Amino acid sequence: MHAHRTPGDRTPAHRTRARPARPHHLGPGPRTPDVLVVGGGLIGLVTAWRAAQRGLRVAVADPAPGGGAARVAAGMLAAVTELHYGEETLLALNLASARRYPAFTAELEEASGQDTGYRACGTLAVALDADDRAHLRELHALQQRCGLESQWLTGRECRRLEPMLAPGVRGGLHALGDHQTDPRRLARALLVACEREGVAFHRSEAVRLLLTGDRATGALLADGTRLAADRTVLAAGSLSGRLAGLPEDVVPPVRPVKGQVLRLRVPEAYTAAGGPFLSRTVRAVVRGGHVYLVPRENGELVVGATTEELGWDTTVTAGGVYELLRDAHELVPGITELPLVETLAGLRPGSPDNAPLLGPTALPGLYAATGHHRNGVLLTPVTGDVMAEVLTTGRLPEEAHPFSPRRFTTPVLQEQPA
Ligand code: GLY
């Protein structure tokens, strides 16, 4: 990729590209951004970073950039183990993003000087009883039909990989390519990379879309700032549909899907003495609910997550904590010894087909990068690339065509009977 550069040239490749011509209707003004990103979570930040790398002037509006769902998410990159029937189109995007993670991580860590906690550790999905086993067998068959790599293991083989697993584990699927990253560190790194790339941060909420004729032209912020921009990107996760002034037919159909998550700590002495508590992500479906344990190299063990359709509620409930601990304990009994250091609930941006909305909306000047539901962390690299491309060139990359926001607004023509 860098073959044309001399060995001593440390200028990033994107710096060599010319800044795109400034659109006429914006008028002069060095502070007017080309792109306003509404929302500074992982998706907003990666969009801002990648667009700024391509030479666009970018602003982000968010009262607390780097927060949102990234504070709660476990950071599994689970394209294979979270495969669902009917989501084969989404799978292609998930896999494309998973493939980009190593290079994306390396580039971001160099750009920010921050570690992101990416860990190529694989995932073990296990079954605790005959029903779970049947479910996993089905998943395995689906994975094979989709050409995905996963290996069926007996209970004994699972425990050989992860000695802390319950003795009753009946078998499992080893997905060697489902890794993890640390969403909090990832958000911090993106924030620094954005700042270094010249992205302007407005620590205030965007409350109303600005319209000039039939074109989106920025947003009014809660602090009274009118932030004009040629292109406005809705990237506010589950809040993306709440921006006032959005014409009805472009309101993104995202809804909040609550997830409660626990954080435990594996004491250092534990890891030093007897090997790691867990070496990879371990997950199961217990009584129909997904439970996963994501062990970080720094000793954090994330246990997630509930899936609750409760609107904007982010209460951590006794029932939620109980169910997570009960199911995690059935999987790995030794967790009851560990300190419980944090409980938190966040909101996934659910969409009607569980897939993201990426690219131009039906309103000129308005773009969406939202609705990532269970895959926001996984889809961060590909979202950044797709959004930067469409914001810079006006062309939505082919891999994102199935995820156009217009799929929810353009009426589908009914076939007339002959
Ligand atoms: N992808 C994990 C979750 O949404 O809980």
Side-chain angles (χ1 to χ4, degrees):
M1 173 164 96
H2 294 168
H4 61 285
R5 294 156 67 200
T6 57
D9 181 4
R10 298 282 298 151
T11 309
H14 63 268
R15 289 272 189 228
T16 62
R17 291 185 209 115
R19 184 179 285 273
R22 190 163 173 73
H24 298 301
H25 62 276
L26 266 181
R31 296 179 62 80
T32 306
D34 300 318
V35 177
L36 167 62
V37 182
V38 174
L42 290 178
I43 296 302
L45 290 175
V46 79
T47 299
W49 180 47
R50 290 305 202 192
Q53 282 185 319
R54 301 279 292 261
L56 297 176
R57 269 196 294 272
V58 183
V60 173
D62 192 313
R71 296 240 359 106
V72 184
M76 286 182 303
L77 310 174
V80 176
T81 42
E82 286 202 357
L83 176 64
H84 289 95
Y85 283 107
E87 293 185 2
E88 288 80 357
T89 311
L90 175 59
L91 172 67
L93 194 72
N94 285 345
L95 290 172
S97 206
R99 277 193 296 272
R100 279 170 219 207
Y101 244 98
F104 169 79
T105 298
E107 186 185 347
L108 177 60
E109 291 187 347
E110 190 181 340
S112 65
Q114 306 269 317
D115 175 34
T116 61
Y118 176 71
R119 188 176 178 195
C121 58
T123 294
L124 184 61
V126 301
L128 289 166
D129 61 27
D131 282 353
D132 301 345
R133 214 172 105 105
H135 169 90
L136 264 194
R137 285 282 192 198
E138 283 294 316
L139 178 62
H140 192 208
L142 177 61
Q143 289 168 347
Q144 286 179 319
R145 281 201 297 279
C146 293
L148 300 172
E149 252 183 76
S150 60
Q151 194 186 357
W152 183 262
L153 302 181
T154 64
R156 186 186 295 233
E157 287 167 333
C158 290
R159 282 189 301 281
R160 208 174 292 141
L161 283 181
E162 294 293 350
M164 294 302 285
L165 280 174
V169 163
R170 304 280 290 267
L173 273 179
H174 193 192
L176 284 151
D178 275 6
H179 303 313
Q180 60 154 300
T181 192
D182 183 336
R184 293 178 180 181
R185 291 196 208 179
L186 183 61
R188 209 175 308 140
L190 281 168
L191 201 53
V192 173
C194 279
E195 281 165 350
R196 290 186 176 177
E197 204 61 52
V199 172
F201 282 92
H202 295 262
R203 285 175 165 73
S204 180
E205 192 186 346
V207 289
R208 173 171 287 278
L209 184 71
L210 297 178
L211 288 162
T212 306
D214 66 349
R215 192 180 169 85
T217 49
L220 172 69
L221 309 189
D223 66 6
T225 307
R226 288 175 73 83
L227 209 48
D230 181 53
R231 284 145 278 175
T232 303
V233 182
L234 277 178
S238 57
L239 293 165
S240 298
R242 301 232 302 191
L243 188 68
L246 284 172
E248 208 177 308
D249 61 336
V250 295
V251 175
V254 288
R255 67 182 197 285
V257 182
K258 179 178 174 182
Q260 299 188 49
V261 171
L262 317 176
R263 280 174 165 79
L264 315 183
R265 177 147 296 283
V266 180
E268 234 171 78
Y270 194 102
T271 31
F277 186 83
L278 292 174
S279 302
R280 57 185 60 68
T281 297
V282 169
R283 58 183 302 155
V285 178
V286 184
R287 283 175 284 271
H290 289 264
V291 63
Y292 44 78
L293 290 85
V294 182
R296 305 233 195 277
E297 262 158 6
N298 65 6
E300 184 176 83
L301 180 67
V302 186
V303 179
T306 64
T307 301
E308 302 166 75
E309 299 277 359
L310 285 176
W312 301 102
D313 174 61
T314 51
T315 316
V316 175
T317 63
V321 174
Y322 165 71
E323 281 172 25
L324 287 173
L325 285 176
R326 179 196 63 194
D327 295 350
H329 173 251
E330 280 187 32
L331 204 57
V332 180
I335 60 151
T336 49
E337 308 290 322
L338 305 178
L340 171 62
V341 293
E342 195 179 351
T343 60
L344 214 51
L347 299 172
R348 306 174 183 89
S351 78
D353 57 8
N354 298 334
L357 287 72
L358 302 173
T361 70
L363 180 71
L366 184 69
Y367 296 73
T370 187
H372 291 68
H373 194 36
R374 305 184 71 92
N375 298 303
V377 183
L378 172 61
L379 290 173
T380 293
V382 78
T383 298
D385 294 346
V386 162
M387 294 308 294
E389 179 68 18
V390 72
L391 288 166
T392 312
T393 67
R395 285 188 301 276
L396 189 67
E398 204 171 319
E399 63 191 341
H401 285 185
F403 308 104
S404 163
R406 296 179 192 187
R407 72 190 186 277
F408 298 120
T409 50
T410 308
V412 177
L413 293 175
Q414 298 289 325
E415 266 187 38
Q416 297 300 314

